[in-house]
Amino acid sequence: MKYLLAAATSFAFAAIAAGQTPSATLPASPSTVVWGYYSAEAKPVLTVHSGDTVRIQTLSTCGPNDRVMKEGVAASDIPSYNEDIYREVKDKGPGGHILTGPVDIAEAEPGDVLEVQILKIDIDVP
């Protein structure tokens, strides 16, 4: 398997360090997330190269908008992609994690060890 699945914490971006420009951005959307499973058969949603800096948006598993609002988050503070993903993603595995990816590392070969550095995490919900 030559894919790297990207996951992060609730309502967060695995983001870039100050002053750096990402070579790619991967938003969380119904077509870029995998819900509740890891699969070597999953088709990559983004291909990057060794050394690239990528901004990856992730989604909380805190629940759909109504549940998050019951916990005190204002509707205006909930990212628009939250509702879309909870409404549109139907292929769900046994687990609860919502992962953005997979990401294909173009130069990676089976058996390679990959180093991934999380340079910054920005929480996008108060």
Side-chain angles (χ1 to χ4, degrees):
M1 180 175 98
K2 78 179 231 182
Y3 305 138
L4 167 67
L5 289 175
T9 95
S10 26
F11 290 111
F13 286 103
I16 57 170
Q20 287 185 304
T21 302
S23 50
T25 298
L26 179 56
S29 73
S31 64
T32 63
V33 301
V34 182
W35 191 325
Y37 65 95
Y38 302 98
S39 174
E41 304 299 318
K43 185 176 178 180
V45 296
L46 177 68
T47 298
V48 298
H49 297 276
S50 180
D52 283 354
T53 299
V54 182
R55 183 179 189 118
I56 300 175
Q57 187 177 46
T58 63
L59 177 72
S60 170
T61 55
C62 292
N65 287 14
D66 59 340
R67 180 175 172 196
V68 177
M69 287 185 290
K70 284 179 188 174
E71 295 297 323
V73 177
S76 60
D77 289 333
I78 300 171
S80 60
Y81 55 84
N82 189 69
E83 183 175 354
D84 295 342
I85 290 169
Y86 275 92
R87 182 184 61 245
E88 295 176 30
V89 176
K90 304 297 183 204
D91 180 17
K92 299 175 184 173
H97 296 289
I98 300 173
L99 307 172
T100 305
V103 175
D104 179 19
I105 312 301
E107 296 81 9
E109 298 289 335
D112 283 355
V113 175
L114 302 177
E115 177 183 352
V116 177
Q117 297 178 5
I118 298 175
L119 304 176
K120 184 178 177 186
I121 296 177
D122 293 327
I123 306 298
D124 65 352
V125 173

